[in-house]
Amino acid sequence: MYRKISAHVILVFSILLWCPFVAVAEDSLEEIRALVNAQERQLNELKSRLAQLESAAAGSVAEPVAVGVNSPDSNPASAAMAWAGASPQFSKPESESRFRFRGKFQTELMTTSSDVETTDYGRASEIRRVRLGAQGAFSPSLDYVAELDFSGDKIGYEDIFIRYRMSDHTAIRLGHHEASVSLDDETSDSNHSFLERSLHNSLSLGRSVGLGFETQGERWSLNAGLFGQSQLDTEVGESEGWKAAARLMWTPLHSSNHTWHLGAASYYVSLGEEDYRVSARPESHQLAALFDTGEHAANDVKYVGLEAAFQHHSLLFQAEFGEQTVDYTQLDESRFVTGYAQAAWLISGEQRNYERSHGKFGGVVPATSWGEGGQGAVELALRSSYMDLVSGDISGGKGATLSVGLNWYPKSFLRLSANWVHFDIDNSLEVLPQGYAAHKGDAFAIRSQVTW
């Protein structure tokens, strides 16, 4: 409402400023129309810039800087372009449609040490992620995202969906997207305080084709969905499984400097003719899956999880606990447990934005960017994770990790990170290539990241 009022005030005020000069010069009617058109073009420019500033204030990681608007000789309804961080954004004020490119590029180096003399966990380098895509809106109530991952042997599907906003508080989305069951999983890998998510994330559902529903009230929000299997293709004659998931969040406190987040999640998976497997690397992507249950036929999977987070200025604490129950067809029922607790401190004083509709914290926007009179943002983080995949007839590993992370954000779209991870795992009987029941060691990794 304020944007519309401000826009009209600017237009009226500008016309009033011009009127005396028009009268004195006895301009023709055509000249008056030209002046009005010029004011309309300036108004469109102001609306475009205001939209970018509101997006940044709402928690966008981007640093919008307008670099181009309609030229004096162009149609006022033509597309405008502005820079949002490292990506150009195009918009059409008349229809309120918009479009911009999105993506990320991450490269990583890793080395390890082992407390077991006969075990070598190796050294490696990799391109961790290469994602390219686009996002935009056809109208204020209909938007879309489409993104692919090119870092693996095959092209991977990330978010590919359309979303219809039924109101300011309720929306539905259809396509390939995340099933929201965890704060850790819901937080973008670009915005995490660590290079990899916690062990707890191995029990998340990931992305699948499905229908999602999201709504919120004054202090609560709900994300739910019904999904098919994780792969986009099903073999002929194969019965596909399905998943139902829900995550309820409550925010008893949310102010400019403090946020208290609580949540609970649950899901049910009917496997159809699929085997089931849980595996996890000890919070370093280039290590082997030292936690691994192996593949076994199962009927269904159930999960219940709890989460909590508290942000105090530049300090953020969060923790989660989850239990998964697997009903195997030929083995005893098994219960797997995971959890983690972490703390992150933005030493330079910044604060992460909280997105209440999805119950997650956004990325870091430096108060002063490097090269523009500042040094960027610096973050220090500590996390402890636990996983127990030993239950019934399954011996998939039981142990813990301790991670320390250091991040430098020269700009909102640029990040340099270093992580140290110590892992201690027992009962890992099926693990290859090491082949030992017990694993204990350290991994150190550094990563560069660019997002747009």
Tab-separated table of all heavy atoms in Angstrom, residues 27 36 65 69 120 124 126 164-165 234 236 241 256 286 297 331 349 384 426:
chain	number	residue	atom	x	y	z
A	27	ASP	N	3.635	26.170	-23.456
A	27	ASP	CA	3.874	24.966	-24.255
A	27	ASP	C	2.592	24.489	-24.872
A	27	ASP	O	1.498	24.700	-24.341
A	27	ASP	CB	4.456	23.859	-23.360
A	27	ASP	CG	5.892	24.164	-23.003
A	27	ASP	OD1	6.546	24.901	-23.755
A	27	ASP	OD2	6.337	23.671	-21.935
A	36	VAL	N	4.393	14.536	-19.277
A	36	VAL	CA	3.710	13.525	-18.468
A	36	VAL	C	4.285	12.144	-18.734
A	36	VAL	O	4.510	11.353	-17.810
A	36	VAL	CB	2.197	13.542	-18.761
A	36	VAL	CG1	1.506	12.366	-18.065
A	36	VAL	CG2	1.586	14.855	-18.287
A	65	VAL	N	21.573	-3.552	-7.425
A	65	VAL	CA	22.083	-2.285	-7.885
A	65	VAL	C	21.534	-2.043	-9.271
A	65	VAL	O	21.873	-2.764	-10.216
A	65	VAL	CB	23.638	-2.264	-7.931
A	65	VAL	CG1	24.114	-0.903	-8.379
A	65	VAL	CG2	24.215	-2.620	-6.583
A	69	VAL	N	17.432	1.090	-16.996
A	69	VAL	CA	15.984	1.219	-16.994
A	69	VAL	C	15.552	1.652	-18.372
A	69	VAL	O	16.356	1.757	-19.289
A	69	VAL	CB	15.511	2.241	-15.934
A	69	VAL	CG1	15.846	1.754	-14.539
A	69	VAL	CG2	16.163	3.595	-16.173
A	120	ASP	N	43.854	-45.446	5.127
A	120	ASP	CA	44.134	-44.154	4.498
A	120	ASP	C	42.845	-43.657	3.847
A	120	ASP	O	42.303	-44.292	2.947
A	120	ASP	CB	45.239	-44.313	3.445
A	120	ASP	CG	45.610	-42.984	2.799
A	120	ASP	OD1	45.122	-41.938	3.269
A	120	ASP	OD2	46.371	-42.989	1.819
A	124	ALA	N	41.774	-35.446	-2.038
A	124	ALA	CA	41.020	-35.314	-3.286
A	124	ALA	C	40.646	-33.857	-3.531
A	124	ALA	O	40.725	-33.005	-2.647
A	124	ALA	CB	39.757	-36.176	-3.243
A	126	GLU	N	37.572	-31.669	-6.066
A	126	GLU	CA	36.389	-31.881	-6.884
A	126	GLU	C	35.655	-30.577	-7.151
A	126	GLU	O	35.824	-29.584	-6.427
A	126	GLU	CB	35.425	-32.858	-6.212
A	126	GLU	CG	34.731	-32.320	-4.982
A	126	GLU	CD	33.588	-33.206	-4.502
A	126	GLU	OE1	33.109	-34.039	-5.289
A	126	GLU	OE2	33.173	-33.048	-3.335
A	164	TYR	N	1.639	-21.373	-7.118
A	164	TYR	CA	0.493	-20.465	-7.192
A	164	TYR	C	0.193	-19.952	-5.788
A	164	TYR	O	-0.060	-20.727	-4.868
A	164	TYR	CB	-0.740	-21.180	-7.745
A	164	TYR	CG	-1.986	-20.343	-7.707
A	164	TYR	CD1	-2.080	-19.169	-8.443
A	164	TYR	CD2	-3.064	-20.721	-6.905
A	164	TYR	CE1	-3.223	-18.390	-8.392
A	164	TYR	CE2	-4.219	-19.951	-6.853
A	164	TYR	CZ	-4.291	-18.782	-7.589
A	164	TYR	OH	-5.418	-18.004	-7.545
A	165	ARG	N	0.240	-18.651	-5.631
A	165	ARG	CA	-0.024	-18.019	-4.340
A	165	ARG	C	-1.518	-17.717	-4.245
A	165	ARG	O	-2.019	-16.789	-4.891
A	165	ARG	CB	0.807	-16.749	-4.200
A	165	ARG	CG	2.308	-17.011	-4.256
A	165	ARG	CD	3.105	-15.750	-4.008
A	165	ARG	NE	4.525	-15.981	-4.149
A	165	ARG	CZ	5.314	-16.435	-3.179
A	165	ARG	NH1	4.778	-16.702	-1.988
A	165	ARG	NH2	6.599	-16.633	-3.388
A	234	THR	N	10.417	-44.006	-14.095
A	234	THR	CA	10.066	-45.293	-13.504
A	234	THR	C	10.125	-46.350	-14.581
A	234	THR	O	9.676	-46.136	-15.696
A	234	THR	CB	8.641	-45.245	-12.923
A	234	THR	OG1	8.564	-44.167	-11.984
A	234	THR	CG2	8.299	-46.530	-12.221
A	236	VAL	N	9.301	-49.558	-16.798
A	236	VAL	CA	8.019	-50.111	-17.244
A	236	VAL	C	7.667	-51.326	-16.392
A	236	VAL	O	8.495	-52.216	-16.165
A	236	VAL	CB	8.102	-50.512	-18.736
A	236	VAL	CG1	6.796	-51.180	-19.168
A	236	VAL	CG2	8.387	-49.292	-19.582
A	241	GLY	N	6.611	-46.124	-5.466
A	241	GLY	CA	6.210	-45.804	-4.104
A	241	GLY	C	5.727	-44.363	-4.001
A	241	GLY	O	5.760	-43.596	-4.966
A	256	SER	N	13.616	-7.870	15.525
A	256	SER	CA	14.742	-7.483	14.673
A	256	SER	C	16.053	-8.124	15.103
A	256	SER	O	16.940	-8.359	14.280
A	256	SER	CB	14.889	-5.958	14.668
A	256	SER	OG	15.092	-5.475	15.998
A	286	GLN	N	33.921	-36.007	0.158
A	286	GLN	CA	34.895	-36.844	-0.528
A	286	GLN	C	35.345	-38.051	0.294
A	286	GLN	O	36.216	-38.807	-0.141
A	286	GLN	CB	36.099	-35.987	-0.941
A	286	GLN	CG	35.692	-34.896	-1.931
A	286	GLN	CD	36.839	-33.998	-2.308
A	286	GLN	OE1	37.700	-34.356	-3.100
A	286	GLN	NE2	36.872	-32.797	-1.737
A	297	ALA	N	14.962	-55.148	1.111
A	297	ALA	CA	13.545	-54.989	0.798
A	297	ALA	C	12.783	-54.548	2.048
A	297	ALA	O	13.003	-55.076	3.140
A	297	ALA	CB	12.978	-56.300	0.259
A	331	LEU	N	13.600	-58.864	7.372
A	331	LEU	CA	14.442	-58.603	8.531
A	331	LEU	C	13.589	-58.004	9.645
A	331	LEU	O	12.470	-57.559	9.410
A	331	LEU	CB	15.578	-57.635	8.175
A	331	LEU	CG	16.509	-58.043	7.035
A	331	LEU	CD1	17.492	-56.918	6.737
A	331	LEU	CD2	17.261	-59.329	7.378
A	349	GLY	N	29.443	-9.112	13.036
A	349	GLY	CA	28.244	-8.465	13.559
A	349	GLY	C	26.979	-8.602	12.747
A	349	GLY	O	25.917	-8.134	13.189
A	384	SER	N	28.239	-30.613	16.543
A	384	SER	CA	28.414	-32.008	16.951
A	384	SER	C	27.220	-32.798	16.437
A	384	SER	O	26.068	-32.402	16.654
A	384	SER	CB	28.504	-32.117	18.470
A	384	SER	OG	28.613	-33.473	18.873
A	426	ASP	N	31.842	-46.745	14.912
A	426	ASP	CA	31.962	-48.185	15.168
A	426	ASP	C	30.863	-48.939	14.429
A	426	ASP	O	29.911	-48.342	13.921
A	426	ASP	CB	31.841	-48.469	16.674
A	426	ASP	CG	33.045	-47.956	17.446
A	426	ASP	OD1	34.170	-48.090	16.930
A	426	ASP	OD2	32.840	-47.416	18.551
